[in-house]
Amino acid sequence: MTTMQRQLYSIGLYHGHRYGDYDADTEAAVRRFQEWGTVAAECSVDPRGVYGPATRRALEREAP
């Protein structure tokens, strides 16, 4: 979870603590990422705010 938070932080979408808790700030950052123009279609298979497989793949590509 901390890796995902670090990745979201590196692209400017997450500003909370990187402790590994999937809190409201983390969910909001995942939602913002899923709405990004370049990854929105790819992430649409995962429910909004859920760090599912499609969202993970897209985030790993965008913020390695």
Side-chain angles (χ1 to χ4, degrees):
M1 204 61 59
T2 56
T3 299
M4 179 258 300
Q5 289 170 331
R6 180 189 52 76
Q7 290 169 312
L8 290 167
Y9 179 84
S10 76
I11 57 175
L13 296 177
Y14 180 71
H15 305 288
H17 296 288
R18 294 177 296 280
Y19 295 138
D21 295 334
Y22 200 87
D23 57 12
D25 290 336
T26 304
E27 182 179 344
V30 169
R31 284 179 183 272
R32 285 191 297 275
F33 178 73
Q34 290 171 325
E35 294 167 359
W36 259 23
T38 59
V39 299
E42 179 180 355
C43 293
S44 67
V45 298
D46 291 332
R48 290 291 155 243
V50 174
Y51 187 60
T55 301
R56 180 182 50 80
R57 282 190 302 275
L59 184 58
E60 287 175 348
R61 185 181 64 251
E62 296 293 320

